[in-house]
Amino acid sequence: MTSGGPYQRREIMAAGVTAARRTCKLRSSRTRDPACTWTCTPTPRPQCGSFSPADDAELRLDVAPMMEKHAEAMYYTEDPEWPKGACRFTAPVVSCDVLSEGTVTEVFIAQRSEEEKVLVYSEDGTLLRGWKTDKLDTPHGLRVHVPAGGGVAAAEIWVTDIGKGPYGCSLKMFDRHGNLKVTLGTPGKRGSDVDPLQFDQVSDVAFSCTGDMFVVDGDDGINHRLLKLSADHQLLWSVGVEGSGPGQFRVPHSVDVDRFGQVWVADRRNQRVQVFDGQMGSYVGEWTFGEDVYAVRFSTDKSRVFVLQELVGDLLMLKSPRMPGFLGNYELIDILHMPIPVIPHMFSVSPVTESVFIAQLGAKRCRKFVRRTGKSKCWLWLATMCLVPRKASNKIEPVG
């Protein structure tokens, strides 16, 4: 993205010059050696205009490897015309997801409004409808699920409700038009029971390719856990207590499933993403980022993982692990930076276009960012990098 606007494309540079590959704190069930521990330390780079001639010479020497690494770089630009027409957002926007089935593509957006709790747009930004349901207190997470072979008519819109009113502390499934079909947990009653199943501040939900559900329950409530439910909503297992050790959580805020069926949890206040085996719930490993992690999502082909850091306004784009059971060090592709006051809370990735939709609490908007790829634009950007000073960013340092 161009610099100077409210949304900027930020590159992390090692030693002030080379880009793309980064390591972060790693703790794995297969690697217990303390020497394998890394940490992310936010360190500002020199501000614009503060580079010395030596810095500039070093940068020019490394231009060839930069071009090679970024030849197919992925980055995003905001679509300023999205959504179209008069704005219907009237309250903090908390979450969103995209339904793409056959010829139907719809963006579902949850807001904490007293009127329309969920707005539905086409991907090009045309308002389709709104839900004026009285079955939601305070929506938090929203996820679209289409059962295998079900088609668009069978689409399920799952919404987590963290409200303290008569409909809160529950997980609900609606059809596309806002008709309530399923409620999990006793609405209005907070708890930790598993038989019958009861939630408190249930945060988010994700689905495996077989229809199993993974639920994180713990948005600053009495629970700090990850649960697996079968396709018919029966509890299979539950893991997690409050804490900072492996398999423990301090506000499990978001969840998604990778290409190997492993479950990724945004462990918000522990500033990390933890990964678990999707079959048994055993701990696999973690990546730690040095900032609170609010949301985690995968690209359509699961080759990239996106991590949202609300408090600093950064959406990190990383390469997914290449094998199950071991994470390795993460490899950073790019960062989309947003102004901190917009408070980006949750997001989704379109399964067709890979556009990113970001729900913003502070701005009371959902914004669309369009994926851009191509060598020509990237080479132009790299040429610009050689001629103009760069803005401050973060530097990631290994320790131990």
Side-chain angles (χ1 to χ4, degrees):
M1 302 183 65
T2 57
S3 61
Y7 298 94
Q8 299 178 6
R9 180 172 187 259
R10 296 173 55 191
E11 292 294 333
I12 297 291
M13 312 294 285
V17 285
T18 56
R21 187 177 296 263
R22 288 298 170 269
T23 55
C24 198
K25 183 178 179 182
L26 167 67
R27 182 184 288 148
S28 172
S29 56
R30 296 188 182 181
T31 306
R32 297 295 186 187
D33 187 346
C36 292
T37 298
W38 300 72
T39 188
C40 295
T41 305
T43 305
R45 291 210 317 248
Q47 297 292 331
C48 293
S50 63
F51 288 98
S52 68
D55 294 329
D56 185 64
E58 187 178 9
L59 176 62
R60 290 173 185 276
L61 286 174
D62 274 359
V63 111
M66 284 175 64
M67 288 182 174
E68 180 182 354
K69 289 179 180 179
H70 284 276
E72 297 295 341
M74 178 180 67
Y75 60 99
Y76 285 83
T77 57
E78 184 188 8
D79 180 353
E81 304 301 322
W82 201 96
K84 299 177 181 178
C87 180
R88 290 279 286 272
F89 302 115
T90 59
V93 176
V94 290
S95 54
C96 55
D97 202 7
V98 182
L99 166 66
S100 184
E101 188 71 16
T103 60
V104 175
T105 303
E106 297 176 342
V107 184
F108 292 81
I109 304 167
Q111 62 175 350
R112 292 177 180 167
S113 169
E114 295 300 321
E115 297 294 330
E116 296 173 308
K117 300 286 188 179
V118 175
L119 297 173
V120 186
Y121 286 87
S122 65
E123 188 160 347
D124 69 3
T126 302
L127 179 67
L128 301 177
R129 57 190 175 274
W131 294 3
K132 292 187 177 181
T133 178
D134 61 356
K135 305 302 183 183
L136 283 171
D137 280 340
T138 307
H140 187 273
L142 184 151
R143 204 61 179 265
V144 173
H145 173 61
V146 180
V152 69
E156 303 171 351
I157 315 302
W158 289 85
V159 183
T160 67
D161 194 335
I162 63 172
K164 298 179 180 179
Y167 298 105
C169 302
S170 58
L171 174 59
K172 304 180 179 73
M173 187 267 279
F174 298 83
D175 65 17
R176 293 169 53 221
H177 299 279
N179 300 305
L180 180 63
K181 299 296 184 180
V182 175
T183 300
L184 302 181
T186 304
K189 181 182 178 182
R190 58 193 304 222
S192 304
D193 293 342
V194 295
D195 187 19
L197 183 61
Q198 186 56 54
F199 299 111
D200 180 24
Q201 302 285 284
V202 56
S203 307
D204 196 19
V205 59
F207 294 86
S208 72
C209 60
T210 60
D212 291 333
M213 302 173 60
F214 297 95
V215 182
V216 282
D217 181 19
D219 185 35
D220 241 356
I222 60 176
N223 299 327
H224 300 264
R225 60 185 180 176
L226 164 68
L227 305 97
K228 180 180 181 179
L229 281 64
S230 63
D232 60 353
H233 314 145
Q234 301 302 306
L235 180 67
L236 300 177
W237 49 254
S238 174
V239 298
V241 295
E242 185 175 9
S244 57
Q248 300 176 341
F249 302 106
R250 293 179 62 224
V251 188
H253 197 259
S254 174
V255 61
D256 207 357
V257 181
D258 69 13
R259 55 187 157 186
F260 306 113
Q262 299 176 137
V263 186
W264 293 55
V265 177
D267 186 7
R268 194 176 88 190
R269 288 201 180 135
N270 281 325
Q271 301 184 339
R272 64 186 177 181
V273 172
Q274 293 196 72
V275 182
F276 299 85
D277 174 75
Q279 292 298 316
M280 304 302 296
S282 56
Y283 173 85
V284 173
E286 66 187 57
W287 285 342
T288 302
F289 296 91
E291 296 287 349
D292 286 11
V293 177
Y294 274 71
V296 58
R297 292 289 187 264
F298 283 89
S299 61
T300 304
D301 63 0
K302 307 284 189 177
S303 66
R304 293 175 174 86
V305 56
F306 297 74
V307 173
L308 180 64
Q309 299 173 319
E310 176 183 292
L311 301 183
V312 293
D314 284 345
L315 179 64
L316 282 63
M317 306 167 207
L318 314 168
K319 287 191 176 181
S320 301
R322 296 176 176 85
M323 64 181 69
F326 183 73
L327 300 187
N329 296 322
Y330 80 59
E331 187 172 343
L332 181 66
I333 300 170
D334 205 352
I335 299 179
L336 172 66
H337 179 66
M338 292 159 277
I340 292 175
V342 306
I343 312 180
H345 183 250
M346 303 280 266
F347 69 98
S348 64
V349 182
S350 169
V352 175
T353 65
E354 293 210 351
S355 295
V356 173
F357 295 86
I358 302 180
Q360 299 178 339
L361 279 169
K364 298 181 180 179
R365 291 286 302 271
C366 181
R367 299 187 187 273
K368 177 183 180 181
F369 295 84
V370 181
R371 181 184 175 186
R372 304 292 189 192
T373 58
K375 296 184 178 181
S376 58
K377 291 183 180 179
C378 188
W379 279 62
L380 177 61
W381 179 83
L382 288 167
T384 305
M385 283 289 293
C386 298
L387 300 175
V388 300
R390 292 163 294 171
K391 293 195 172 182
S393 182
N394 294 332
K395 183 179 178 182
I396 301 176
E397 295 284 351
V399 297

